[in-house]
């Protein structure tokens, strides 16, 4: 008999939804929203619903595979684990443990997914990746400004008089915040959307401001300049609670509003309007993640933070520079889970430049790559370089549910479970502050095993099995240890399915910051000259590289797809996906392109071919191709993107990308 059980979405997403899942004869038959979840209230997106298709797909990997003479052959778990363990032992003895690269991403967000780090730390420490393709530059930027990256609780938007949604299309990526925007608008709040693309969120805005891609920090600087000219700054907050304001003033004195307008392609009048909006407190700012995927990305977030600070919208109800909410993840015992102190050797490569760094690595060279929770062949920039690298190492091990582009290159592919086949805890570090309990609902098909089982088996073979000698329940209780005194236990989570974490819902309300000065820092004191704000522009722009801009006159965005969490679902769509090249109307007009035309988009790094879709209201000279598309469906847009790092070294430059387009 069919039954409905509560569980949670595992996707690393803004919303972290509660689910009601229908089970019939040990099979998931329907995934719906849990109406009792305090934030998501029964509404879920298409990506969440696709988890039923993922779990039941006939394309699931069911057995361990080994590549022999270029062809995958099914082998036993015992053989796979014995051979991989032997290779790890051999590498450790001959080259040292840092000859192993662990390539880990965060497409799925279960707390116990972090136990791969424990395994590699107990192994002795490997070459790991630092930074983030997704949000790293902005996280680092807010740590320079505030000392941490915290956001206001979801309910606080009800206190906002004005709401600035900046580069964040919540209609596509954060549907429950979109619902909050609609509620706030009904209550009289004014909504402003700043974005190069006229999107679903822009449709409900009181005012939509179109902007040249990558120039958001300059726009923030222009608004600050107008606030100061009009005498609208919060002088008390600036004097008592900030450091380095004189440096900011000096910077702004070096550029005119007209110059800022020319570069941002936003009128001076709009900047004056926004200056008054920010002064009409409380005004909240909600930033997206694409804003900081440029060479000047960290500086961009810092200038938007500075705008919120100068206008006095920090630490007040209905305000905030809302980007990420790291205090959610900081609630758990990750140090105890991962055992960082156990590693004796350690090396880091940039996540963005991992391909180049593997190829040039010495002392030791990289002999093995182990991929968990990711698909680097579609997600890491400069696909041609990534493919060359991942094809060149002696041993590539991929833990996966499907034969992805990355898995196709592997020497060993180990089949793992979906979220409905294992127990875990889920949370979002970007929007709300509730932890969700994920229930094991069905039996995994074939021989698929949880990641944790794989690490436990390998640990036993490598001589540190005692470090993994815990039941899944004991692991979850370990993660929750810091919360026990707050009344959050595994037993209560199982009973209630979701619980509110003890976070600060209005960050910095006491104007005490986690910076070296204890103040908000316009100039990051510990960073020396690098801590100064600048008026930087993207590397690939007519302002920084005019010759490149003549050759490649169009700016490429690579936003998240609507129905797939990155690359996860393209192979499961009912209709075969194809590359859609969305272009601004002025490009179509100048090149004589029409909807449906087959085109090539290219630059010096590579090319992608797809079908034209004209965007009536996109910013001039702007192109978008959704990220994540598999090779068999046309290939990743990352054939075009650069592996350069952001200004602070911790973010990608995926949006800092000029291209050309031609009909073929």
């Amino acid at each position: 008999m069919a039954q409905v059980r509560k569980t949670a979405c595992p996707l690393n997403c803004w919303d972290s939804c509660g689910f009601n899942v229908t089970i019939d004869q040990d099979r998931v038959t329907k995934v719906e929203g849990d109406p009792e979840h305090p934030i998501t209230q029964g509404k879920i997106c298409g990506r969440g619903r696709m988890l039923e298709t993922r779990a039941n797909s006939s394309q699931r990997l069911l057995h361990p595979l080994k590549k022999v003479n270029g062809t995958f052959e099914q082998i036993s778990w015992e053989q796979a684990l014995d051979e991989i363990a032997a290779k790890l032992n051999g590498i450790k003895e001959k080259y040292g443990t840092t000859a192993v690269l662990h390539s880990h991403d965060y497409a799925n967000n279960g707390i116990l997914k972090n136990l791969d780090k424990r395994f590699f730390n107990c192994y002795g420490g490997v070459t790991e990746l630092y930074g983030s393709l997704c949000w790293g530059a902005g996280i680092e930027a807010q740590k320079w400004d505030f000392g941490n990256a915290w956001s206001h609780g979801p309910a606080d938007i009800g206190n906002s008089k004005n709401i600035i949604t900046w580069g964040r299309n919540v209609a596509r990526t954060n549907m429950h915040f979109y619902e909050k925007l609609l509620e706030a608008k009904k209550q009289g709040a004014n909504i402003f959307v700043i974005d190069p693309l006229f999107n679903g969120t822009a449709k409900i805005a009181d005012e939509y401001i179109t902007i040249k891609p990558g120039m958001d920090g300059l726009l923030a600087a222009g608004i600050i300049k107008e606030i100061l000219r009009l005498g609208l700054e919060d002088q008390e907050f600036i004097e008592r609670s900030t450091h380095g304001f004189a440096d900011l003033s000096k910077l702004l004195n070096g550029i005119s509003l007209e110059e800022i307008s020319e570069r941002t392609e936003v009128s001076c009048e709009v900047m004056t309007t926004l200056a008054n909006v920010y002064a009409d407190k409380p005004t909240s700012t909600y930033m997206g993640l694409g804003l900081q995927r440029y060479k000047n990305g960290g500086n961009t977030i810092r200038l938007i933070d500075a705008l919120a600070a100068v206008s006095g919208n920090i630490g007040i109800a209905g305000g905030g520079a809302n980007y990420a909410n790291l205090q959610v993840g900081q609630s758990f015992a990750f140090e105890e889970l991962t055992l960082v102190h156990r590693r004796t050797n350690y090396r880091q490569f940039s996540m963005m430049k991992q391909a180049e760094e593997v190829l040039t690595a010495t002392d030791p060279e990289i002999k093995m790559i182990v991929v968990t929770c990711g698909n680097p062949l579609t997600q890491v920039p400069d696909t041609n370089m990534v493919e060359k690298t991942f094809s060149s190492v002696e041993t590539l091990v991929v833990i996966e549910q499907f034969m992805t582009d990355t898995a196709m290159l592997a020497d060993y592919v180990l089949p793992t479970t979906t979220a409905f086949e294992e127990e875990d805890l889920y949370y979002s570090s970007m929007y709300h502050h509730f932890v969700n309990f994920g229930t094991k609902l069905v039996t995994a098909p074939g021989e698929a095993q949880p990641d944790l089982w794989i690490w436990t088996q390998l640990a036993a073979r490598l001589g540190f099995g005692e470090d993994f000698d815990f039941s899944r329940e004991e692991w979850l209780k370990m993660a929750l240890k810091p919360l026990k005194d707050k009344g959050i236990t595994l037993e209560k989570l199982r009973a209630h399915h979701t619980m509110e974490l003890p976070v600060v819902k209005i960050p910095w309300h006491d104007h005490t910051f986690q910076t070296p000065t204890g103040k908000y820092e316009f100039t990051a004191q510990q960073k020396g000259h690098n801590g100064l704000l600048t008026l930087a522009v993207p590397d690939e722009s007519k302002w920084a590289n005019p010759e490149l801009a003549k050759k490649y006159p169009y700016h490429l965005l690579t936003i998240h797809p609507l129905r797939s969490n990155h690359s996860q679902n393209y192979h499961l769509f009912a209709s075969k996906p194809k590359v859609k090249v969305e272009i601004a109307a002025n490009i179509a007009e100048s090149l004589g392109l029409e909807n449906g035309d087959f085109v090539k988009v290219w630059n010096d790094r590579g090319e992608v071919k797809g079908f034209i879709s004209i965007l009536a209201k996109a910013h001039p000279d702007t192109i978008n191709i959704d990220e994540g598309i598999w090779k068999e469906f046309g290939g990743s847009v990352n054939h075009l993107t650069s592996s350069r790092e952001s200004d602070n070294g911790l973010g990608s430059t995926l949006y800092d990308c000029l291209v050309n387009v031609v009909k073929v």
Side-chain angles (χ1 to χ4, degrees), residues 95 109 121 137 146 181 187 234 261 270 301 335 350 426 452 457 459 474 480 511 528 577 583 606 636:
Y95 305 103
N109 205 30
N121 287 332
F146 300 99
L181 281 180
Q187 294 168 5
D234 188 326
S261 177
V270 166
I301 300 302
E335 287 191 13
S350 160
Y426 303 102
L452 177 52
Q457 293 292 318
E474 289 172 327
L480 292 170
H511 292 178
I583 62 173
S636 171

PDB file of all heavy atoms in Angstrom, residues 95 109 121 137 146 181 187 234 261 270 301 335 350 426 452 457 459 474 480 511 528 577 583 606 636:
ATOM      1  N   TYR A  95      55.141   8.197  -3.565  1.00  0.00           N
ATOM      2  CA  TYR A  95      55.130   9.621  -3.912  1.00  0.00           C
ATOM      3  C   TYR A  95      54.696  10.538  -2.771  1.00  0.00           C
ATOM      4  O   TYR A  95      54.957  11.742  -2.802  1.00  0.00           O
ATOM      5  CB  TYR A  95      54.189   9.869  -5.100  1.00  0.00           C
ATOM      6  CG  TYR A  95      54.503   9.046  -6.310  1.00  0.00           C
ATOM      7  CD1 TYR A  95      53.735   7.928  -6.632  1.00  0.00           C
ATOM      8  CD2 TYR A  95      55.562   9.383  -7.144  1.00  0.00           C
ATOM      9  CE1 TYR A  95      54.014   7.167  -7.757  1.00  0.00           C
ATOM     10  CE2 TYR A  95      55.856   8.629  -8.274  1.00  0.00           C
ATOM     11  CZ  TYR A  95      55.081   7.515  -8.568  1.00  0.00           C
ATOM     12  OH  TYR A  95      55.359   6.767  -9.677  1.00  0.00           O
ATOM     13  N   ASN A 109      23.977  18.538  -0.669  1.00  0.00           N
ATOM     14  CA  ASN A 109      24.386  19.259   0.530  1.00  0.00           C
ATOM     15  C   ASN A 109      24.181  18.481   1.823  1.00  0.00           C
ATOM     16  O   ASN A 109      24.051  19.072   2.868  1.00  0.00           O
ATOM     17  CB  ASN A 109      23.604  20.583   0.606  1.00  0.00           C
ATOM     18  CG  ASN A 109      24.334  21.635   1.404  1.00  0.00           C
ATOM     19  OD1 ASN A 109      25.559  21.640   1.444  1.00  0.00           O
ATOM     20  ND2 ASN A 109      23.585  22.519   2.047  1.00  0.00           N
ATOM     21  N   ASN A 121      41.808  13.144   5.132  1.00  0.00           N
ATOM     22  CA  ASN A 121      42.639  13.631   6.233  1.00  0.00           C
ATOM     23  C   ASN A 121      43.275  12.471   6.994  1.00  0.00           C
ATOM     24  O   ASN A 121      44.449  12.526   7.369  1.00  0.00           O
ATOM     25  CB  ASN A 121      41.812  14.504   7.172  1.00  0.00           C
ATOM     26  CG  ASN A 121      41.496  15.861   6.577  1.00  0.00           C
ATOM     27  OD1 ASN A 121      42.243  16.378   5.750  1.00  0.00           O
ATOM     28  ND2 ASN A 121      40.380  16.447   6.986  1.00  0.00           N
ATOM     29  N   ALA A 137      34.170  34.458  -4.235  1.00  0.00           N
ATOM     30  CA  ALA A 137      34.659  35.841  -4.168  1.00  0.00           C
ATOM     31  C   ALA A 137      33.799  36.681  -3.236  1.00  0.00           C
ATOM     32  O   ALA A 137      34.303  37.509  -2.469  1.00  0.00           O
ATOM     33  CB  ALA A 137      34.681  36.462  -5.568  1.00  0.00           C
ATOM     34  N   PHE A 146      32.678  42.599   6.995  1.00  0.00           N
ATOM     35  CA  PHE A 146      31.938  42.363   8.243  1.00  0.00           C
ATOM     36  C   PHE A 146      32.658  41.407   9.196  1.00  0.00           C
ATOM     37  O   PHE A 146      32.324  41.343  10.377  1.00  0.00           O
ATOM     38  CB  PHE A 146      30.567  41.742   7.943  1.00  0.00           C
ATOM     39  CG  PHE A 146      29.670  42.577   7.081  1.00  0.00           C
ATOM     40  CD1 PHE A 146      29.546  42.336   5.723  1.00  0.00           C
ATOM     41  CD2 PHE A 146      28.916  43.608   7.626  1.00  0.00           C
ATOM     42  CE1 PHE A 146      28.707  43.092   4.919  1.00  0.00           C
ATOM     43  CE2 PHE A 146      28.071  44.372   6.833  1.00  0.00           C
ATOM     44  CZ  PHE A 146      27.968  44.115   5.480  1.00  0.00           C
ATOM     45  N   LEU A 181       8.677  38.265  -1.696  1.00  0.00           N
ATOM     46  CA  LEU A 181       8.655  39.539  -2.417  1.00  0.00           C
ATOM     47  C   LEU A 181       7.222  39.937  -2.783  1.00  0.00           C
ATOM     48  O   LEU A 181       6.843  41.107  -2.657  1.00  0.00           O
ATOM     49  CB  LEU A 181       9.495  39.441  -3.691  1.00  0.00           C
ATOM     50  CG  LEU A 181      11.012  39.549  -3.567  1.00  0.00           C
ATOM     51  CD1 LEU A 181      11.651  39.417  -4.945  1.00  0.00           C
ATOM     52  CD2 LEU A 181      11.429  40.855  -2.918  1.00  0.00           C
ATOM     53  N   GLN A 187       2.124  44.538   0.818  1.00  0.00           N
ATOM     54  CA  GLN A 187       2.134  45.329   2.049  1.00  0.00           C
ATOM     55  C   GLN A 187       2.685  46.742   1.818  1.00  0.00           C
ATOM     56  O   GLN A 187       2.787  47.529   2.760  1.00  0.00           O
ATOM     57  CB  GLN A 187       2.967  44.613   3.112  1.00  0.00           C
ATOM     58  CG  GLN A 187       2.354  43.287   3.574  1.00  0.00           C
ATOM     59  CD  GLN A 187       3.314  42.450   4.401  1.00  0.00           C
ATOM     60  OE1 GLN A 187       4.426  42.884   4.717  1.00  0.00           O
ATOM     61  NE2 GLN A 187       2.901  41.236   4.757  1.00  0.00           N
ATOM     62  N   ASP A 234      24.501  58.099   6.592  1.00  0.00           N
ATOM     63  CA  ASP A 234      24.262  57.912   8.024  1.00  0.00           C
ATOM     64  C   ASP A 234      25.562  58.256   8.747  1.00  0.00           C
ATOM     65  O   ASP A 234      26.418  57.389   8.972  1.00  0.00           O
ATOM     66  CB  ASP A 234      23.833  56.469   8.312  1.00  0.00           C
ATOM     67  CG  ASP A 234      23.382  56.252   9.740  1.00  0.00           C
ATOM     68  OD1 ASP A 234      23.942  56.897  10.649  1.00  0.00           O
ATOM     69  OD2 ASP A 234      22.478  55.426   9.960  1.00  0.00           O
ATOM     70  N   SER A 261      28.347  56.504 -15.253  1.00  0.00           N
ATOM     71  CA  SER A 261      27.196  56.262 -16.115  1.00  0.00           C
ATOM     72  C   SER A 261      27.632  55.676 -17.456  1.00  0.00           C
ATOM     73  O   SER A 261      27.001  54.742 -17.978  1.00  0.00           O
ATOM     74  CB  SER A 261      26.421  57.563 -16.333  1.00  0.00           C
ATOM     75  OG  SER A 261      25.339  57.361 -17.214  1.00  0.00           O
ATOM     76  N   VAL A 270      19.052  57.702 -12.704  1.00  0.00           N
ATOM     77  CA  VAL A 270      18.736  56.461 -11.981  1.00  0.00           C
ATOM     78  C   VAL A 270      19.583  56.357 -10.720  1.00  0.00           C
ATOM     79  O   VAL A 270      19.096  55.953  -9.653  1.00  0.00           O
ATOM     80  CB  VAL A 270      18.941  55.234 -12.891  1.00  0.00           C
ATOM     81  CG1 VAL A 270      18.954  53.941 -12.069  1.00  0.00           C
ATOM     82  CG2 VAL A 270      17.838  55.166 -13.944  1.00  0.00           C
ATOM     83  N   ILE A 301      31.171  43.067  -4.682  1.00  0.00           N
ATOM     84  CA  ILE A 301      30.368  42.813  -3.477  1.00  0.00           C
ATOM     85  C   ILE A 301      30.736  43.803  -2.387  1.00  0.00           C
ATOM     86  O   ILE A 301      29.861  44.307  -1.662  1.00  0.00           O
ATOM     87  CB  ILE A 301      30.559  41.362  -2.995  1.00  0.00           C
ATOM     88  CG1 ILE A 301      30.121  40.371  -4.078  1.00  0.00           C
ATOM     89  CG2 ILE A 301      29.788  41.116  -1.699  1.00  0.00           C
ATOM     90  CD1 ILE A 301      28.682  40.513  -4.526  1.00  0.00           C
ATOM     91  N   GLU A 335      34.385  20.276  12.337  1.00  0.00           N
ATOM     92  CA  GLU A 335      35.772  19.939  12.682  1.00  0.00           C
ATOM     93  C   GLU A 335      35.866  18.520  13.223  1.00  0.00           C
ATOM     94  O   GLU A 335      36.792  17.776  12.886  1.00  0.00           O
ATOM     95  CB  GLU A 335      36.326  20.939  13.697  1.00  0.00           C
ATOM     96  CG  GLU A 335      36.633  22.307  13.096  1.00  0.00           C
ATOM     97  CD  GLU A 335      37.421  23.182  14.048  1.00  0.00           C
ATOM     98  OE1 GLU A 335      37.945  22.660  15.057  1.00  0.00           O
ATOM     99  OE2 GLU A 335      37.521  24.395  13.780  1.00  0.00           O
ATOM    100  N   SER A 350      43.844  25.745  -6.750  1.00  0.00           N
ATOM    101  CA  SER A 350      42.652  26.541  -6.986  1.00  0.00           C
ATOM    102  C   SER A 350      41.580  25.691  -7.667  1.00  0.00           C
ATOM    103  O   SER A 350      41.867  24.966  -8.625  1.00  0.00           O
ATOM    104  CB  SER A 350      43.000  27.737  -7.878  1.00  0.00           C
ATOM    105  OG  SER A 350      41.850  28.269  -8.489  1.00  0.00           O
ATOM    106  N   TYR A 426      20.012  18.209   6.052  1.00  0.00           N
ATOM    107  CA  TYR A 426      20.178  19.173   4.966  1.00  0.00           C
ATOM    108  C   TYR A 426      19.865  20.580   5.462  1.00  0.00           C
ATOM    109  O   TYR A 426      18.994  20.780   6.300  1.00  0.00           O
ATOM    110  CB  TYR A 426      19.266  18.824   3.791  1.00  0.00           C
ATOM    111  CG  TYR A 426      19.493  17.422   3.270  1.00  0.00           C
ATOM    112  CD1 TYR A 426      18.618  16.384   3.585  1.00  0.00           C
ATOM    113  CD2 TYR A 426      20.599  17.132   2.481  1.00  0.00           C
ATOM    114  CE1 TYR A 426      18.831  15.098   3.129  1.00  0.00           C
ATOM    115  CE2 TYR A 426      20.828  15.843   2.015  1.00  0.00           C
ATOM    116  CZ  TYR A 426      19.941  14.830   2.341  1.00  0.00           C
ATOM    117  OH  TYR A 426      20.170  13.562   1.890  1.00  0.00           O
ATOM    118  N   LEU A 452      29.330   7.134   2.281  1.00  0.00           N
ATOM    119  CA  LEU A 452      29.895   6.805   3.590  1.00  0.00           C
ATOM    120  C   LEU A 452      30.315   5.343   3.659  1.00  0.00           C
ATOM    121  O   LEU A 452      31.358   5.013   4.243  1.00  0.00           O
ATOM    122  CB  LEU A 452      28.889   7.128   4.695  1.00  0.00           C
ATOM    123  CG  LEU A 452      29.303   6.772   6.126  1.00  0.00           C
ATOM    124  CD1 LEU A 452      30.662   7.343   6.485  1.00  0.00           C
ATOM    125  CD2 LEU A 452      28.239   7.253   7.113  1.00  0.00           C
ATOM    126  N   GLN A 457      34.675   1.317   3.886  1.00  0.00           N
ATOM    127  CA  GLN A 457      35.339   0.131   3.343  1.00  0.00           C
ATOM    128  C   GLN A 457      36.787   0.423   2.965  1.00  0.00           C
ATOM    129  O   GLN A 457      37.698  -0.378   3.253  1.00  0.00           O
ATOM    130  CB  GLN A 457      34.563  -0.365   2.116  1.00  0.00           C
ATOM    131  CG  GLN A 457      33.179  -0.896   2.416  1.00  0.00           C
ATOM    132  CD  GLN A 457      33.231  -2.194   3.206  1.00  0.00           C
ATOM    133  OE1 GLN A 457      34.043  -3.071   2.927  1.00  0.00           O
ATOM    134  NE2 GLN A 457      32.370  -2.304   4.213  1.00  0.00           N
ATOM    135  N   ALA A 459      38.658   2.844   4.209  1.00  0.00           N
ATOM    136  CA  ALA A 459      39.411   3.129   5.434  1.00  0.00           C
ATOM    137  C   ALA A 459      39.880   1.844   6.100  1.00  0.00           C
ATOM    138  O   ALA A 459      41.023   1.754   6.588  1.00  0.00           O
ATOM    139  CB  ALA A 459      38.546   3.944   6.395  1.00  0.00           C
ATOM    140  N   GLU A 474      25.169   7.545  14.808  1.00  0.00           N
ATOM    141  CA  GLU A 474      26.242   8.164  15.599  1.00  0.00           C
ATOM    142  C   GLU A 474      26.893   9.318  14.842  1.00  0.00           C
ATOM    143  O   GLU A 474      27.239  10.337  15.445  1.00  0.00           O
ATOM    144  CB  GLU A 474      27.278   7.102  15.971  1.00  0.00           C
ATOM    145  CG  GLU A 474      26.776   6.118  17.012  1.00  0.00           C
ATOM    146  CD  GLU A 474      27.721   4.946  17.233  1.00  0.00           C
ATOM    147  OE1 GLU A 474      28.388   4.526  16.253  1.00  0.00           O
ATOM    148  OE2 GLU A 474      27.797   4.445  18.367  1.00  0.00           O
ATOM    149  N   LEU A 480      25.514  17.090  15.277  1.00  0.00           N
ATOM    150  CA  LEU A 480      24.583  17.936  16.026  1.00  0.00           C
ATOM    151  C   LEU A 480      25.068  18.295  17.431  1.00  0.00           C
ATOM    152  O   LEU A 480      24.366  19.002  18.161  1.00  0.00           O
ATOM    153  CB  LEU A 480      23.219  17.241  16.128  1.00  0.00           C
ATOM    154  CG  LEU A 480      22.440  17.095  14.812  1.00  0.00           C
ATOM    155  CD1 LEU A 480      21.241  16.174  15.007  1.00  0.00           C
ATOM    156  CD2 LEU A 480      21.988  18.452  14.292  1.00  0.00           C
ATOM    157  N   HIS A 511      26.186  46.439  16.124  1.00  0.00           N
ATOM    158  CA  HIS A 511      27.298  47.143  15.473  1.00  0.00           C
ATOM    159  C   HIS A 511      28.654  46.645  15.964  1.00  0.00           C
ATOM    160  O   HIS A 511      29.654  47.380  15.946  1.00  0.00           O
ATOM    161  CB  HIS A 511      27.179  48.660  15.647  1.00  0.00           C
ATOM    162  CG  HIS A 511      26.023  49.248  14.907  1.00  0.00           C
ATOM    163  ND1 HIS A 511      25.715  50.588  14.954  1.00  0.00           N
ATOM    164  CD2 HIS A 511      25.079  48.680  14.096  1.00  0.00           C
ATOM    165  CE1 HIS A 511      24.638  50.810  14.215  1.00  0.00           C
ATOM    166  NE2 HIS A 511      24.240  49.671  13.684  1.00  0.00           N
ATOM    167  N   GLY A 528      46.317  45.174   3.888  1.00  0.00           N
ATOM    168  CA  GLY A 528      47.239  46.177   3.374  1.00  0.00           C
ATOM    169  C   GLY A 528      46.659  46.923   2.186  1.00  0.00           C
ATOM    170  O   GLY A 528      45.477  47.265   2.157  1.00  0.00           O
ATOM    171  N   PRO A 577      17.456  17.727 -24.682  1.00  0.00           N
ATOM    172  CA  PRO A 577      17.845  19.150 -24.565  1.00  0.00           C
ATOM    173  C   PRO A 577      18.758  19.568 -25.703  1.00  0.00           C
ATOM    174  O   PRO A 577      19.410  18.738 -26.345  1.00  0.00           O
ATOM    175  CB  PRO A 577      18.573  19.203 -23.221  1.00  0.00           C
ATOM    176  CG  PRO A 577      19.070  17.821 -22.998  1.00  0.00           C
ATOM    177  CD  PRO A 577      18.076  16.897 -23.635  1.00  0.00           C
ATOM    178  N   ILE A 583      20.106  35.884 -26.980  1.00  0.00           N
ATOM    179  CA  ILE A 583      20.845  37.092 -27.355  1.00  0.00           C
ATOM    180  C   ILE A 583      19.971  38.330 -27.210  1.00  0.00           C
ATOM    181  O   ILE A 583      18.750  38.271 -27.355  1.00  0.00           O
ATOM    182  CB  ILE A 583      21.388  37.011 -28.804  1.00  0.00           C
ATOM    183  CG1 ILE A 583      20.237  36.898 -29.816  1.00  0.00           C
ATOM    184  CG2 ILE A 583      22.363  35.851 -28.951  1.00  0.00           C
ATOM    185  CD1 ILE A 583      20.694  36.977 -31.262  1.00  0.00           C
ATOM    186  N   GLY A 606      37.542  28.394 -27.108  1.00  0.00           N
ATOM    187  CA  GLY A 606      36.769  27.302 -27.675  1.00  0.00           C
ATOM    188  C   GLY A 606      35.510  27.804 -28.347  1.00  0.00           C
ATOM    189  O   GLY A 606      35.352  29.004 -28.613  1.00  0.00           O
ATOM    190  N   SER A 636      29.294  21.734 -22.921  1.00  0.00           N
ATOM    191  CA  SER A 636      29.277  22.739 -21.866  1.00  0.00           C
ATOM    192  C   SER A 636      29.675  24.113 -22.377  1.00  0.00           C
ATOM    193  O   SER A 636      30.604  24.263 -23.183  1.00  0.00           O
ATOM    194  CB  SER A 636      30.230  22.321 -20.743  1.00  0.00           C
ATOM    195  OG  SER A 636      30.395  23.360 -19.813  1.00  0.00           O
TER     196      SER A 636
END
